[in-house]
Each structure stands twice: as C-alpha cells, then as structure tokens.
Amino acid sequence: AAADRRVYLPQHGFADSLNASVAAALCLHTLLSLYGPRAVGDLAAEGRSEEVGALRRSWCRHLARDAEEEERMLAAIAER
C-alpha cells in the first residue's frame, strides 16, 4: 500500500519472482533502451568543473572498499 505505482515485469522461463535489485536493473535497462541518450544526463556539461570534481571525489570516498581502491579511483578521475 506504500507504493505509488505497480510495475509488472514479464518473466519467461522458470523464475517465479525477482529480487528488488534485479527488478530495478531490468526497469532501468528498459527505460534507457526506450529513451536512449535523452534519459542520461551529461554531468560534465551540466555542472561547473570544480563541483563535478568534488562530487566525483565524494563518490570515490563512499564507494571504495578501502584506501587503496579509493586511491585507484581518484587516479582514474585525475586522468580525465
């Protein structure tokens, strides 16, 4: 009763149900396939470069499993 909408995903084969992450991935895949480039924003074009850099560094800190991975991610961002 807490949902605003109900979404049905056609399933073929032996699967009786999907977990939430798989269902969300299928929904996103379908939306991106339908709308193509219009569904994806361009962060680099929409934001100021210092804001975009700060946001990417923040993502690295939150997504990295350890300090070594964070360093690798930050190095990859610096190469851009």
Side-chain angles (χ1 to χ4, degrees):
D4 292 336
R5 300 248 195 276
R6 197 177 277 199
V7 176
Y8 294 95
L9 300 171
Q11 298 180 40
H12 305 286
F14 298 104
D16 290 330
S17 65
L18 301 171
N19 67 28
S21 64
V22 172
L26 289 172
C27 289
L28 287 172
H29 179 269
T30 301
L31 287 172
L32 292 174
S33 296
L34 289 172
Y35 294 102
R38 295 178 298 159
V40 180
D42 186 359
L43 182 62
E46 294 173 5
R48 293 195 315 252
S49 62
E50 60 272 1
E51 288 178 303
V52 171
L55 182 58
R56 287 184 173 141
R57 288 187 298 277
S58 174
W59 286 341
C60 288
R61 283 191 297 276
H62 287 90
L63 295 175
R65 288 175 272 187
D66 54 33
E68 185 178 314
E69 185 176 32
E70 181 180 346
E71 286 179 27
R72 282 196 309 270
M73 292 169 74
L74 290 170
I77 289 173
E79 291 176 4
R80 288 182 158 200

